[in-house]
Amino acid sequence: ATTYYWRVDEVLVDGTTMTGPVWSFTTFLPLEDFESYTDEEGGRIYETWIDGWTNGTSSTVGYIQAPFAERGIVHGGKQSMPFDYNNPKAPFYSEAEREFATAQDWTAGEVKTLVLFVRGRIGNAPAPLYVVLKDSSNRTATVVHPDTALVGTTKWIEWRIALSDFAGVNAARIKEIVIGLGDKTKATAGGHGLIYIDDIRLIR
């Protein structure tokens, strides 16, 4: 989470210097790029990102057969996470959750924003996309994306969420992140579809 600057100057034949423009880039803190998952037992994507087979929601993380991660539709690197939501049936929402072995400090380097990249497919039923954070004291907060049609977009969308939007959660002690689709507050049937998640990170 640091900004770097550089400049290229040109020394002319007469010895004078022509100053170039200042360029910059800012690095980020990576949280999850989905590159480490394999098809071997113990290294599969759904063994880290828990889905409906375990958490009781209407979700499936990864594919039923190997390769379990998505290797064709990616934002960066070689893999992304396929996330199937199937909300016409109870409990009418779908979640993929990752719990960290130790609490994560998401304030290091003065980062203030959570970023994830999302891509949908044509034909996906509109559904609210949301992120839940839980800290080590079990306080939770949810942020919902304003566009329910996002899941039908066939290009990668960068979703930036200010950490301050997760009101009441201690960003220096994050224990769990949940990505969900549907409306947990209404016990009504929703739609179904498949989305892809990639490159979850923190930036200033």
Side-chain angles (χ1 to χ4, degrees), residues 46 48-62 81-87 89-98 128-134 140-144 176-185 195 197:
Y46 55 77
T48 296
W49 285 86
I50 305 305
D51 62 11
W53 291 82
T54 302
N55 64 25
T57 69
S58 304
S59 66
T60 303
V61 167
M81 179 174 78
F83 179 8
D84 183 275
Y85 61 102
N86 191 17
N87 296 337
K89 58 182 182 181
F92 311 120
Y93 65 91
S94 302
E95 290 186 344
E97 55 190 75
R98 177 178 179 181
L129 174 67
Y130 60 88
V131 173
V132 182
L133 294 186
K134 179 192 288 187
T140 64
T142 304
V143 175
V144 183
E176 185 176 15
I177 180 173
V178 177
I179 301 173
L181 286 155
D183 190 340
K184 294 178 71 171
T185 64
I195 66 169
I197 307 290

Side-chain angles (χ1 to χ4, degrees), residues 10-18:
E10 179 183 3
V11 180
L12 304 179
V13 219
D14 61 4
T16 59
T17 301
M18 182 180 293

Side-chain angles (χ1 to χ4, degrees), residues 12-143:
L12 304 179
V13 219
D14 61 4
T16 59
T17 301
M18 182 180 293
T19 303
V22 175
W23 294 356
S24 69
F25 67 89
T26 303
T27 58
F28 55 81
L29 292 179
L31 294 176
E32 174 66 274
D33 59 12
F34 303 100
E35 298 302 303
S36 63
Y37 301 110
T38 68
D39 295 332
E40 303 302 318
E41 188 171 351
R44 297 169 181 174
I45 191 168
Y46 55 77
E47 293 173 308
T48 296
W49 285 86
I50 305 305
D51 62 11
W53 291 82
T54 302
N55 64 25
T57 69
S58 304
S59 66
T60 303
V61 167
Y63 296 120
I64 302 299
Q65 296 180 333
F68 300 110
E70 171 60 40
R71 294 177 181 172
I73 300 173
V74 296
H75 174 262
K78 297 181 179 180
Q79 294 191 150
S80 66
M81 179 174 78
F83 179 8
D84 183 275
Y85 61 102
N86 191 17
N87 296 337
K89 58 182 182 181
F92 311 120
Y93 65 91
S94 302
E95 290 186 344
E97 55 190 75
R98 177 178 179 181
E99 183 174 348
F100 301 103
T102 56
Q104 305 290 297
D105 183 359
W106 288 12
T107 63
E110 300 180 355
V111 295
K112 299 183 184 300
T113 306
L114 173 67
V115 177
L116 61 155
F117 289 85
V118 184
R119 177 172 168 167
R121 298 198 309 180
I122 294 175
N124 279 351
L129 174 67
Y130 60 88
V131 173
V132 182
L133 294 186
K134 179 192 288 187
D135 65 21
S136 56
S137 299
N138 290 327
R139 291 172 296 192
T140 64
T142 304
V143 175

